[in-house]
């Protein structure tokens, strides 16, 4: 998004959205209460007591605007089922909370899918050099947690390093198993050509390495997403332009989607997310890169806050070798459509019938 | 003959060949602590450097990797760009195709841009233009570009003035001897690499930033912003794109000491 677009969003204060119940900062667990629904449910007993005391008395106790925002947030519905008015209110609430929390003007966008657009992605697997710039650009753009302790560091893109194997003369006589049993060739269990198992923790001085190829993997934005099928609260769903999104506020953190995804694309905020104020990206989308809370699942959404405004996703722009391509699959002139028409293309795990809109190609 | 050509080749490589990475890398430290100025590189080191500034308060023009000094994020993809100019077979879309001008790179030293690479030609009297296609060493250039001695492009079948214009040293040359701007190296490279040119024109090869719509405004990265034409046959990996330092690996799962566990402890078959 171009920077001049930031001031266009109406100031959060303009949207008078608090109903009396929402304005009440009747948060019995104090201002430290986190934003997660799970915590809310834990505190449910105390809350129900306080609600019995009567909303009116609670209004007078309201001293913390931040807590009031959270109170209202807990009672908002599933984003997909909200009216336009409710959606705008929800975003305004978040803008207020984030702006206070991060000490700058945070915009929570709600731009809907554009007509006639089906987003698609293509990645040239021959070009990728495994430099991981896409991974880091994604983190810089999408407000992932980046703490040092276990579970505090979240990256949506994995880059797998695939070794190039081969046949070796010294293995010729290594039958398996020894003695009795079915004899197999000595090279049976050595990888040949490009192996399909990769490892992601490579750390050479320079990339690309001589005997390796690299395969970045992130959310494939399936046309038949298994994660959407299994979500018990239907908080993850496919948008009309093809992107699979999550309403973080409605997520219960059950991790069913993580188990269902064949591409290891989803991440759970196990710990409280660590997001330094100065590194926080203030241009966000409700279904995209707005800061998440502990106990919710997140994943790649093709930089919704950028792509809905017409801009390339961050990983596409950063790729130094230009291996990443993004565009409208319904537009025959777009980069991805031309790639599908001309190049050799495959989908990862096509046999799963998930129909990804993320294509690998080579030339 | 071939050997002779490649030996002598180097020396005529001009200041214009500023794309030479060895030299430019020294010029571009990732950070200059004295000025607290952050200079990052875009696609490859030596091609285009950016100084980090704030376009608006809290909105930087670039975000850079602290480890490698690479640009990770552009606040404004069209910052400092100019229209690319006409290109054959490209539908004329004024203002939609922009590039970052590379002419500033010509002034590596003040005298480069005035003495020889001034767009006109050497002003020595008489001008020492090559009489034939046999490269002759120029000590100045040899000293400035030691990497030029290791010229790796065309496997000894091309020499300097196949790409650089004879008299206009700040220009490339096309098949008819006419000059080509440094901002449009694709017109030069496409003379041989036509398939790549076609893919690049359609957005399949190479890098673009900006708007994703096929009719949107984009900044195109030109050939020399990613490839160093003097060193495309990189010895280690020989893929056209020079090796670079990777970013840090991801965090290991809790309890895992290193990533080699599965390699060391084989899985039962």
């Amino acid at each position: 998004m171009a920077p001049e677009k930031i001031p266009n969003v109406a100031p959060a204060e303009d949207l008078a959205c608090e109903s009396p119940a929402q304005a009440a900062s009747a948060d019995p667990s104090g201002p430290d209460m986190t934003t997660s629904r799970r915590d809310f449910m834990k505190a449910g007993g105390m809350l129900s007591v306080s609600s019995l005391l009567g909303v009116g008395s609670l209004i007078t106790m309201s001293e913390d605007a931040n807590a009031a925002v959270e109170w209202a947030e807990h009672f908002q519905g599933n984003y997909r089922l909200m009216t336009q008015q409710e959606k705008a209110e929800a975003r305004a609430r978040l803008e207020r909370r984030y702006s206070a929390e991060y000490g700058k003007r945070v915009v929570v966008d709600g731009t809907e899918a554009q007509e006639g657009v089906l987003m698609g992605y293509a990645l040239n697997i021959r070009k990728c050099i495994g430099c991981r710039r896409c991974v880091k650009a994604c983190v810089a753009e999408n407000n992932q947690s980046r703490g040092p302790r276990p579970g505090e560091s979240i990256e949506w893109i994995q880059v797998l390093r695939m070794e190039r194997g081969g046949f070796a003369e010294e293995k010729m006589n290594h039958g398996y198993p020894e003695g009795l049993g079915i004899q197999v060739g000595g090279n049976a269990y050595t990888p040949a050509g490009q192996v399909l198992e990769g490892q992601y923790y490579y750390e050479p001085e320079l990339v690309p390495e001589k005997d390796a190829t690299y395969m970045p993997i992130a959310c494939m934005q399936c046309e038949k997403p298994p994660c959407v099928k299994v979500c018990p609260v239907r908080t993850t769903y496919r948008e009309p332009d093809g992107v699979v999104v999550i309403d973080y506020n409605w997520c219960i953190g059950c991790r069913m989607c993580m188990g269902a995804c064949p591409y290891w694309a989803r991440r759970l905020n196990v710990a409280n997310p660590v997001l330094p104020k100065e590194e926080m990206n203030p241009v966000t989308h409700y279904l995209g890169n707005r800061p998440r809370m502990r106990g919710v699942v997140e994943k790649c959404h093709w930089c919704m806050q950028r792509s809905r405004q017409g801009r390339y996703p961050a990983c596409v722009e950063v790729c130094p070798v230009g291996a990443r391509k993004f565009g409208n699959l319904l537009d025959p002139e777009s980069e991805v459509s031309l790639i599908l028409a001309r190049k050799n293309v495959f989908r990862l795990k096509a046999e799963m019938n998930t129909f990804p809109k993320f294509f690998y190609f080579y030339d | 003959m071939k050997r002779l050509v490649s030996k002598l080749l180097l020396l005529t490589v001009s200041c214009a060949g500023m794309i030479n990475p060895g030299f430019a890398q020294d010029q571009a430290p990732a950070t200059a602590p004295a000025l607290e100025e952050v200079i990052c590189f875009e696609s490859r080191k030596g091609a285009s450097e950016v100084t980090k500034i704030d376009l608006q308060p809290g909105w930087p023009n670039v975000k850079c990797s602290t480890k490698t000094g690479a640009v990770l994020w552009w606040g404004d993809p069209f910052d400092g760009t100019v229209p690319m100019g006409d290109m054959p077979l490209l539908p004329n879309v004024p203002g939609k195709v922009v590039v970052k001008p590379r002419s500033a790179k010509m002034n590596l030293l003040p005298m480069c841009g005035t003495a020889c690479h001034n767009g006109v030609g050497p002003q020595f009297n008489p001008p020492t233009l090559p009489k034939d296609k046999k490269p002759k060493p120029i000590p100045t250039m040899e000293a400035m570009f030691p990497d030029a001695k290791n010229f790796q492009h065309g496997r000894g079948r091309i020499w300097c003035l196949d790409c650089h214009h004879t008299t206009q040293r700040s220009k490339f040359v096309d098949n008819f001897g006419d000059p080509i701007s440094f901002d449009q190296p694709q017109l030069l490279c496409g003379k041989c690499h036509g398939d790549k040119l076609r893919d690049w024109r359609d957005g399949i090869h190479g890098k673009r930033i900006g708007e994703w719509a096929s009719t949107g405004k984009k900044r195109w990265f030109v050939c020399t912003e990613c490839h160093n034409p003097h060193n495309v046959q990189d010895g280690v990996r020989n893929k056209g794109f020079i090796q670079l330092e990777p970013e840090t690996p991801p965090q290991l799962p809790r309890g895992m000491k290193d990533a080699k566990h599965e390699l060391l402890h084989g899985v039962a078959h």
Side-chain angles (χ1 to χ4, degrees):
Chain A
M1 181 189 294
E4 59 270 19
K5 288 189 180 162
I6 305 172
N8 288 350
V9 178
E13 294 74 38
D14 292 350
L15 295 151
C17 58
E18 290 89 1
S19 68
Q22 287 163 340
S25 73
D27 187 350
S29 53
D32 289 335
M33 183 168 156
T34 68
T35 57
S36 85
R37 279 177 54 82
R38 180 179 293 185
D39 280 358
F40 168 68
M41 296 313 283
K42 278 186 203 159
M46 297 175 74
L47 279 169
S48 56
V49 170
S50 57
S51 57
L52 284 174
L53 295 177
V55 172
S57 63
L58 292 169
I59 295 171
T60 59
M61 289 154 62
S62 165
E63 71 267 346
D64 185 359
N66 218 15
V69 167
E70 294 184 6
W71 174 256
E73 224 177 283
H74 285 305
F75 282 100
Q76 78 184 36
N78 187 321
Y79 191 71
R80 238 190 327 176
L81 304 179
M82 288 186 201
T83 62
Q84 291 299 330
Q85 167 79 6
E86 287 169 335
K87 286 181 181 178
E89 286 169 3
R91 290 197 302 271
R93 274 198 298 272
L94 288 170
E95 281 180 354
R96 265 199 303 277
R97 176 157 70 82
Y98 294 147
S99 298
E101 193 176 343
Y102 295 99
K104 54 178 139 183
R105 247 192 87 65
V106 177
V107 174
V108 181
D109 184 26
T111 309
E112 311 254 326
Q114 206 182 318
E115 282 287 315
V117 170
L118 183 63
M119 291 179 181
Y121 205 116
L123 191 149
N124 191 337
I125 195 120
R126 290 288 298 277
K127 289 252 157 59
C128 178
I129 58 170
C131 68
R132 293 204 190 93
R133 273 191 215 172
C134 50
V135 181
K136 305 300 173 189
C138 174
V139 171
E141 168 73 25
N142 286 310
N143 291 328
Q144 282 101 322
S145 173
R146 55 202 75 172
R149 292 185 298 164
E152 282 181 352
S153 171
I154 290 180
E155 290 171 355
W156 292 346
I157 305 175
Q158 283 181 12
V159 186
L160 291 183
R161 178 188 183 275
M162 316 280 225
E163 225 163 307
R164 286 189 188 274
F167 291 92
E169 196 170 359
E170 56 268 25
K171 287 183 183 162
M172 287 298 282
N173 294 320
H174 292 186
Y176 175 89
E178 296 291 331
L180 297 173
I182 299 167
Q183 189 77 10
V184 298
N187 278 291
Y189 296 110
T190 43
Q194 187 177 302
V195 295
L196 289 180
E197 294 90 21
Q199 62 110 342
Y200 58 89
Y201 198 82
Y202 60 93
E203 202 176 5
E205 271 181 31
L206 294 172
V207 288
E209 297 153 278
K210 196 170 185 323
D211 292 321
T213 50
Y214 303 90
M215 184 172 202
I217 298 175
C219 177
M220 302 282 159
Q221 317 292 358
C222 308
E223 284 291 81
K224 260 177 76 180
C227 53
V228 169
K229 252 186 248 180
V230 300
C231 179
V233 290
R234 299 199 176 180
T235 190
T236 185
Y237 57 96
R238 181 187 171 280
E239 283 275 290
D241 57 4
V243 183
V244 176
V245 296
I246 304 167
D247 173 7
Y248 309 111
N249 274 59
W250 202 248
C251 176
I252 58 172
C254 70
R255 293 184 275 175
M256 288 285 280
C257 53
M258 292 173 74
C261 176
Y263 305 105
W264 318 286
R266 289 175 166 255
R267 306 283 181 273
L268 177 73
N269 283 283
V270 186
N272 275 317
V274 178
L275 177 58
K277 283 181 185 178
E278 63 280 3
E279 289 178 30
M280 191 256 176
N281 178 7
V283 177
T284 70
H285 192 284
Y286 184 94
L287 298 169
N289 65 336
R290 66 186 172 98
R292 276 77 63 184
M293 39 291 204
R294 181 163 64 88
V296 303
V297 168
E298 59 185 65
K299 69 166 188 68
C300 163
H301 43 77
W302 284 348
C303 286
M304 176 152 292
Q305 67 284 355
R306 295 163 65 107
S307 54
R308 286 268 168 95
Q309 305 291 339
R311 177 104 180 256
Y312 278 121
C315 51
V316 175
E317 290 202 348
V318 81
C319 180
V321 294
R324 293 174 167 270
K325 299 291 163 191
F326 180 83
N328 182 3
L329 289 167
L330 305 182
D331 173 5
E333 293 301 312
S334 73
E335 290 160 19
V336 273
S337 297
L338 290 173
I339 286 166
L340 289 182
R342 276 189 212 165
K343 300 291 180 183
N344 300 317
V345 173
F346 70 92
R347 285 162 150 165
L348 186 60
K349 298 193 187 178
E351 71 277 12
M352 308 293 286
N353 281 339
T354 51
F355 302 97
K357 290 190 293 300
F358 190 107
F359 301 92
Y360 295 91
F361 72 103
Y362 47 97
D363 49 19
Chain B
M1 168 59 198
K2 221 195 271 181
R3 172 171 290 187
L4 179 72
V5 170
S6 53
K7 260 189 190 166
L8 297 175
L9 200 41
L10 358 160
L11 317 183
T12 42
V13 170
S14 56
C15 260
M18 222 112 301
I19 352 190
N20 188 315
F23 191 91
Q25 271 172 31
D26 301 333
Q27 295 293 95
T31 51
L35 300 170
E36 298 204 358
E37 194 177 59
V38 181
I39 299 174
C40 329
F41 66 96
E42 287 188 318
S43 192
R44 66 176 177 90
K45 278 187 183 174
S48 53
E49 279 76 33
V50 189
T51 307
K52 191 176 176 185
I53 52 162
D54 271 1
L55 297 172
Q56 285 177 20
W59 190 263
N61 61 339
V62 287
K63 289 182 187 171
C64 308
S65 161
T66 47
K67 190 191 175 206
T68 62
V71 172
L72 293 180
W73 184 93
W74 281 267
D76 177 8
F78 311 122
D79 191 26
T81 55
V82 298
M84 185 171 73
D86 286 335
M87 192 179 141
L89 294 178
L90 185 73
N92 196 14
V93 271
K96 296 287 188 187
V97 181
V98 295
V99 295
K100 200 165 235 188
R102 300 176 51 71
S103 324
K105 287 282 192 183
M106 310 291 297
N107 289 321
L108 188 61
L109 295 171
M111 65 216 182
C112 297
T114 50
C116 301
H117 304 281
N118 52 9
V120 180
Q123 303 206 324
F124 306 123
N125 198 12
T128 51
L129 295 177
K131 305 273 187 299
D132 52 34
K133 287 212 160 198
K134 295 215 169 70
K136 294 170 193 63
I138 300 174
T140 317
M141 306 310 297
E142 197 176 12
M144 285 175 79
F145 296 105
D147 276 13
K149 290 187 176 180
N150 190 23
F151 179 72
Q152 294 182 31
H153 191 170
R155 307 195 191 268
R157 305 296 295 172
I158 60 172
W159 77 305
C160 317
L161 297 187
D162 284 332
C163 298
H164 294 280
H165 199 274
T166 314
T167 53
Q168 302 185 31
R169 291 291 164 84
S170 52
K171 295 278 171 67
F172 294 129
V173 65
D174 71 4
N175 277 332
F176 305 105
D178 294 330
I180 297 173
S181 160
F182 256 59
D183 298 340
Q184 284 183 290
Q186 66 275 6
L187 299 180
L188 168 75
C189 306
K191 292 199 303 191
C192 297
H193 306 283
D195 56 335
K196 290 289 178 287
L197 177 69
R198 193 168 58 242
D199 274 356
W200 179 81
R201 182 194 66 203
D202 295 337
I204 298 174
H205 181 101
K207 168 171 174 163
R208 295 175 181 182
I209 66 178
E211 296 166 3
W212 52 259
S214 54
T215 53
K217 182 180 178 184
K218 296 171 170 58
R219 173 187 163 195
W220 295 25
F221 280 63
V222 296
C223 317
T224 45
E225 282 180 87
C226 302
H227 305 286
N228 174 4
H230 301 138
N231 183 23
V232 281
Q233 295 160 16
D234 178 25
V236 185
R237 183 63 197 267
N238 202 16
K239 287 268 282 186
F241 195 89
I242 201 157
Q243 285 186 307
L244 48 79
E245 188 188 1
E247 302 292 335
T248 48
Q251 190 183 44
L252 282 169
R254 184 195 293 269
M256 199 192 281
K257 292 205 173 52
D258 58 43
K260 291 187 184 144
H261 183 85
E262 283 171 26
L263 292 176
L264 297 177
H265 306 83
V267 200
H269 288 286

